[in-house]
Amino acid sequence: MGNNQKKERIYVCHTYYHVYVACLKELYLPKEKQGQATLVLSTMSNDFGNLKDRAEKCGLFEAVYMFDEKEDVSFPQLLKYHKDRGNIVLNMLARIRYTKLLGKLQEPYVPVDFKEYKDIYVFCDSDPIGYYLSYKKIYYHAVEDGLNCIQYYDTARYDNKGHFALKAWMSARNLIFIQNGYGKYCLDMEINDKSVVPYPCEKYIEQPRAQLVEHLSEKDKDILIHLFIENMDELQKKLNCGAEDKILVLTEPLCDLTVRKQIFSDIIKEYGEVEGRKAQILMKPHPRDVLDYEKEFPEHIVLNGKFPMEILNYIPGLRFKKVISVLTVPNGIQFAEEILFLGEDFLDRYEAPELHRQNEQI
């Protein structure tokens, strides 16, 4: 297929939030350029339910594909390359073989020909898709996984502690692969705010998410609501519960399930009041949180977790007295009078700090 015949854009998404940002990027384009993109939903770490059906009907994408992306543990022949050989040279030789083999093994599962597209946008190129594109020598744009996530967890540097300069040099020559802007075939990496990143990378480019949101029309917001909310009547019923004082708790897949239940029980106990009055607690499970909150917290209202919390911004008249999160960056929330971000100091109570203070270990 010649360059003048190439399709316009393709987005590879691993989470509901990734799909949300892909939609924001599409809605930011001139109307005549919208609806020409392809959406790829990777099932490696997320259950998208029937989002594919709704995405095909929303008008923003000309095609939607499911991608049965495979983690390296799916291939027993890769396991030997994880062995520490006690020598940087031997380890790097093993990693060179691992990098190419993981990319090659992914090929039967890739649902599209990426060479047919002008622009490829990849969320989480740390996942095998990054290895695949590098193996195939296909240039792409990386996109920040979550809002300001590199500020708290620079996965590229954390995953490659020790001899980082050497590893980055090798990645730039496609000998090994490092995510987030260090790979040879990564053209650039779009992040929300360069000023908060502790370790800059020359390929970072700034695209504030707030700028994309401010551009939305009421019609655009309606498109987003209907794309992500499968049962609006059920959601509205839960959101319109009787109590005037409402607190929204954003859950996250933190620690093991027993500790996770304790974390959110403690949050509700410690912060579940408004000016001394007991509030109505609503819980919004993270899409990848598998704790059964309806069973464990039957006295509270549990929302469907399968949509990004930013969609609540677009529901007319919705207000919470308080929204509470542990590590989810709440900067994009517009539906709360008060936002409480508990952060790593709070999580220190429940697990060893080194398990979540990754940037401090780089």
Side-chain angles (χ1 to χ4, degrees):
M1 183 176 288
N3 190 60
N4 61 338
Q5 297 176 288
K6 282 193 171 186
K7 299 175 185 177
E8 291 296 327
R9 296 171 303 284
I10 185 168
Y11 299 91
V12 181
C13 300
H14 294 84
T15 70
Y16 284 89
Y17 181 73
H18 296 169
V19 179
Y20 169 68
V21 175
C23 292
L24 291 182
K25 289 175 66 62
E26 282 299 295
L27 290 166
Y28 195 71
L29 295 170
K31 291 293 182 185
E32 63 271 16
K33 291 189 176 182
Q34 294 179 15
Q36 301 174 31
T38 295
L39 180 67
V40 175
L41 303 174
S42 169
T43 59
M44 192 180 84
S45 57
N46 197 79
D47 175 12
F48 284 102
N50 59 9
L51 182 69
K52 178 179 184 291
D53 295 337
R54 298 196 301 277
E56 288 173 333
K57 298 171 185 173
C58 75
L60 295 180
F61 305 103
E62 64 176 10
V64 183
Y65 295 93
M66 304 304 292
F67 175 21
D68 187 19
E69 191 173 7
K70 297 295 186 184
E71 294 185 75
D72 64 353
V73 294
S74 301
F75 307 109
Q77 59 268 51
L78 288 173
L79 299 182
K80 61 184 177 182
Y81 297 115
H82 287 300
K83 180 182 177 182
D84 184 358
R85 289 155 175 80
N87 178 295
I88 181 67
V89 175
L90 294 178
N91 282 342
M92 287 301 100
L93 287 173
R95 186 163 170 181
I96 288 170
R97 297 186 186 100
Y98 169 88
T99 297
K100 289 181 169 46
L101 187 53
L102 177 57
K104 182 179 181 180
L105 291 169
Q106 214 62 218
E107 194 160 15
Y109 306 96
V110 175
V112 299
D113 182 356
F114 283 101
K115 291 182 178 178
E116 293 184 351
Y117 293 86
K118 294 179 184 177
D119 287 298
I120 301 164
Y121 295 91
V122 179
F123 298 81
C124 277
D125 68 333
S126 58
D127 286 333
I129 183 62
Y131 290 80
Y132 171 77
L133 293 172
S134 295
Y135 164 71
K136 299 292 283 187
K137 301 179 180 179
I138 298 173
Y139 287 97
Y140 67 94
H141 309 276
V143 189
E144 190 174 22
D145 176 25
L147 187 66
N148 291 342
C149 63
I150 297 177
Q151 176 184 1
Y152 302 97
Y153 186 6
D154 188 330
T155 55
R157 287 181 177 267
Y158 181 80
D159 291 348
N160 294 278
K161 291 179 293 185
H163 306 284
F164 180 76
L166 170 63
K167 294 172 183 175
W169 182 89
M170 294 177 71
S171 183
R173 285 148 184 83
N174 204 34
L175 296 170
I176 64 172
F177 178 76
I178 298 178
Q179 68 270 35
N180 292 358
Y182 294 97
K184 177 177 180 178
Y185 293 96
C186 179
L187 294 167
D188 47 50
M189 179 164 185
E190 180 183 296
I191 66 174
N192 179 62
D193 184 354
K194 289 171 72 172
S195 71
V196 302
V197 174
Y199 302 98
C201 172
E202 63 180 12
K203 290 187 182 178
Y204 289 165
I205 58 173
E206 191 172 88
Q207 171 56 76
R209 303 271 161 95
Q211 183 181 34
L212 301 178
V213 171
E214 289 164 4
H215 182 265
L216 294 173
S217 67
E218 291 306 311
K219 182 179 178 182
D220 295 338
K221 294 175 183 178
D222 192 59
I223 290 172
L224 291 172
I225 289 173
H226 285 89
L227 169 59
F228 287 102
I229 306 299
E230 184 173 5
N231 190 332
M232 192 62 192
D233 290 340
E234 179 189 344
L235 179 62
Q236 285 283 17
K237 184 177 179 181
K238 290 185 175 182
L239 292 174
N240 293 335
C241 56
E244 183 177 330
D245 295 333
K246 296 187 183 70
I247 293 176
L248 180 65
V249 177
L250 301 175
T251 88
E252 299 170 64
L254 306 167
C255 310
D256 61 42
L257 294 180
T258 302
V259 177
R260 193 179 308 170
K261 178 185 175 183
Q262 188 62 52
I263 287 173
F264 291 104
S265 296
D266 292 348
I267 286 174
I268 292 169
K269 189 180 300 182
E270 193 167 343
Y271 303 104
E273 293 186 347
V274 174
E275 298 176 353
R277 301 185 301 272
K278 189 174 182 180
Q280 172 69 67
I281 303 296
L282 290 88
M283 306 184 78
K284 162 66 174 70
H286 187 284
R288 286 184 285 110
D289 189 346
V290 296
L291 184 65
D292 187 342
Y293 286 89
E294 290 187 335
K295 175 185 175 184
E296 302 294 349
F297 296 88
E299 69 276 28
H300 303 305
I301 296 173
V302 179
L303 306 180
N304 186 327
K306 294 191 178 299
F307 66 89
M309 57 94 176
E310 287 82 0
I311 298 302
L312 296 175
N313 287 328
Y314 311 129
I315 297 178
L318 178 63
R319 297 295 294 170
F320 288 93
K321 288 287 186 179
K322 192 187 301 181
V323 172
I324 306 169
S325 93
V326 181
L327 294 182
T328 296
V329 178
N331 298 15
I333 291 176
Q334 302 167 3
F335 51 83
E337 295 177 20
E338 178 187 354
I339 296 173
L340 186 58
F341 178 67
L342 300 177
E344 294 171 327
D345 290 346
F346 176 83
L347 198 53
D348 285 346
R349 302 186 203 171
Y350 299 92
E351 68 177 10
E354 60 267 22
L355 295 178
H356 52 266
R357 293 182 178 270
Q358 290 90 354
N359 274 1
E360 296 175 16
Q361 301 170 60
I362 295 172

